[in-house]
Amino acid sequence: MHKQGAYILIIDDEIEIIRALSRGLTAHGYRVLTARNGEEALKTVFQQRPDLILLDLMLPTISGLEVCRRIREESNVPIIVLSVKDQERDKVQALDLGADDYIAKPFGMGEVIARIQVALRHLARIQAGTAPRLEIGLLKVDFAQRRVWVGETEIKLTPTEYDLLKVFLTHRGKLLTRDMLQEQIWGAQGKGKLHSLHVHVAQLRQKIEPDPDHPRFILTTPGVGYRFDDEQGAS
């Protein structure tokens, strides 16, 4: 269930986009705030404290990337980037700066609502803290003992595989770039280990996925990174 009445801040300089999003969000029970440039956006964020932000990257006065960076310094409010296809580099950079997800323009309202629901659930889990045990479908994890099961079968993971799984589960539902994952697993020197990352993801899929050739948990976003999907039976 999405958070009824949550305040969504739309940051976009195109009035048509603002109007379309406002109508759709209001129809789904959300309350809407708007800003049409970077300066106005930052003022609204820190004065109104929205529950979620839809952020266009191409903004007057202050760029969307800079807006993202400044917000993330002060708040963990979910940020969903609105981007066009030729902004691949900026899109990835925004995710590395702390944005939670992105939606490519043009987009459908159904996709926007679905991404908002996922981001708000992710925020609720962060605020509630990580439970010592987690069950998602047949996947079971005991964080205290570093043990993992698929159904009734205990799965033996290498330390790196377990660390990777823990990062995915801590940020489940959130799109994680390859750079973010490399830094989380191997620290500041990890950005040269892209091949190793892909190998470990493949090995982890072989161990936890019901069908590794058609992943249900660890999903790939081409050119960007991975997302751990827990939308089918998390508890």
Side-chain angles (χ1 to χ4, degrees):
M1 294 179 62
H2 68 265
K3 182 178 177 182
Q4 291 288 348
Y7 278 100
I8 310 296
L9 172 60
I10 304 167
I11 305 173
D12 201 302
D13 63 338
E14 296 185 49
I15 190 63
E16 295 82 3
I17 295 289
I18 289 178
R19 287 173 178 166
L21 286 171
S22 296
R23 286 194 298 268
L25 292 172
T26 301
H28 282 81
Y30 295 105
R31 291 175 284 186
V32 175
L33 302 167
T34 65
R36 296 188 61 187
N37 61 61
E39 186 175 351
E40 182 184 1
L42 290 171
K43 182 177 179 180
T44 303
V45 168
F46 296 120
Q47 289 185 351
Q48 301 295 324
R49 300 290 175 180
D51 296 293
L52 183 141
I53 296 168
L54 297 175
L55 173 65
D56 182 33
L57 293 181
M58 303 295 287
L59 294 175
T61 69
I62 301 174
S63 74
L65 289 174
E66 179 63 15
V67 168
C68 182
R69 186 189 68 78
R70 293 191 196 181
I71 292 172
R72 196 49 83 227
E73 286 180 346
E74 304 290 338
S75 172
N76 68 346
V77 59
I79 300 173
I80 299 177
V81 167
L82 305 177
S83 69
V84 295
K85 291 183 178 179
D86 62 356
Q87 293 177 329
E88 186 75 22
R89 182 181 299 176
D90 286 346
K91 179 171 59 183
V92 173
Q93 188 175 352
L95 292 165
D96 282 333
L97 287 171
D100 295 84
D101 204 347
Y102 77 90
I103 301 172
K105 295 181 178 179
F107 46 76
M109 201 63 218
E111 179 184 13
V112 174
I113 296 300
R115 299 295 183 89
I116 287 173
Q117 291 173 353
V118 169
L120 289 177
R121 280 193 290 267
H122 176 240
L123 179 64
R125 287 193 287 266
I126 291 175
Q127 293 171 340
T130 301
R133 290 181 64 93
L134 179 69
E135 294 188 19
I136 304 174
L138 294 176
L139 179 65
K140 303 174 185 178
V141 181
D142 185 322
F143 292 105
Q145 298 187 48
R146 294 174 65 94
R147 298 174 69 186
V148 179
W149 295 263
V150 175
E152 299 303 317
T153 303
E154 184 168 0
I155 304 302
K156 298 299 183 182
L157 300 181
T158 67
T160 299
E161 290 166 357
Y162 177 83
D163 289 343
L164 181 60
L165 178 60
K166 187 174 181 181
V167 172
F168 278 131
L169 293 176
T170 302
H171 301 284
R172 56 195 187 278
K174 179 175 179 177
L175 178 57
L176 301 173
T177 69
R178 294 166 297 188
D179 281 352
M180 291 170 64
L181 286 167
Q182 290 174 85
E183 184 171 352
Q184 287 281 328
I185 301 303
W186 293 291
Q189 305 303 315
K191 288 191 177 182
K193 298 192 175 185
L194 183 58
H195 176 70
S196 293
L197 174 65
H198 292 324
V199 169
H200 286 297
V201 169
Q203 291 174 170
L204 184 58
R205 280 175 168 159
Q206 288 293 327
K207 294 181 178 182
I208 70 168
E209 294 282 3
D211 181 358
D213 292 330
H214 301 88
R216 172 254 179 273
F217 293 120
I218 304 172
L219 308 181
T220 300
T221 300
V224 180
Y226 300 93
R227 182 200 312 273
F228 193 96
D229 178 22
D230 66 345
E231 292 303 301
Q232 300 181 35
S235 64

